[in-house]
Amino acid sequence: MPKGQLEHANLTVTDPQRSAELFEKLCGWHERWHGPAMNGGETIHVGNEMTYLALYTNPDATGGYDKGVPLNHVGLLVDDLDAAEKIVIEAGLEPFAHADYAPGRRFYFFDWDRIEFEVVSYL
């Protein structure tokens, strides 16, 4: 049976640079690639050597997504949940739904485009 892992997720955002800067601070990631994309858009790949988020935009990108459309949330694993929460707050975003249950601690936030993220730590 094949084995796999998530290699990337491609999200449409209104400001890929702003989003990339958040994930660089939040996850210790770096910009892997930046360039033109389909439909007159641009994309920034931000992540590590194995996984990344492709942050795509084009002139028609509006943000303001409804919860659950097109996805429920993106989960991010961090080694310091308290420091991660401070970064989210400093970005002007609001953490919510804090929980501490097996196997870890977590909180959620919506980015500027109303994409929901779960931030979890197992430490």
Side-chain angles (χ1 to χ4, degrees):
M1 173 180 290
K3 293 183 182 180
Q5 68 182 40
L6 183 65
E7 193 253 349
H8 78 274
N10 189 320
L11 304 175
T12 299
V13 298
T14 54
D15 187 338
Q17 187 64 48
R18 175 180 62 184
S19 296
E21 289 171 4
L22 173 65
F23 296 118
E24 287 171 358
K25 292 176 187 171
L26 186 62
C27 299
W29 289 348
H30 64 274
E31 184 177 298
R32 294 171 39 136
W33 181 82
H34 185 173
M38 64 182 195
N39 299 324
E42 75 171 304
T43 299
I44 298 175
H45 293 180
V46 61
N48 60 34
E49 289 67 35
M50 298 295 293
T51 63
Y52 65 96
L53 291 177
L55 304 169
Y56 166 77
T57 196
N58 68 48
D60 296 327
T62 60
Y65 303 113
D66 293 331
K67 179 166 173 40
V69 179
L71 62 122
N72 289 315
H73 64 260
V74 175
L76 302 171
L77 178 65
V78 298
D79 63 356
D80 187 335
L81 193 68
D82 296 326
E85 184 171 14
K86 287 178 185 174
I87 290 167
V88 168
I89 292 168
E90 288 170 0
L93 302 169
E94 186 176 340
F96 65 92
H98 296 76
D100 186 358
Y101 55 87
R105 296 173 50 223
R106 66 203 70 237
F107 69 86
Y108 295 78
F109 72 93
F110 287 101
D111 76 352
W112 302 275
D113 297 301
R114 291 210 27 90
I115 299 171
E116 186 175 21
F117 292 87
E118 176 184 5
V119 184
V120 64
S121 178
Y122 298 124
L123 302 177

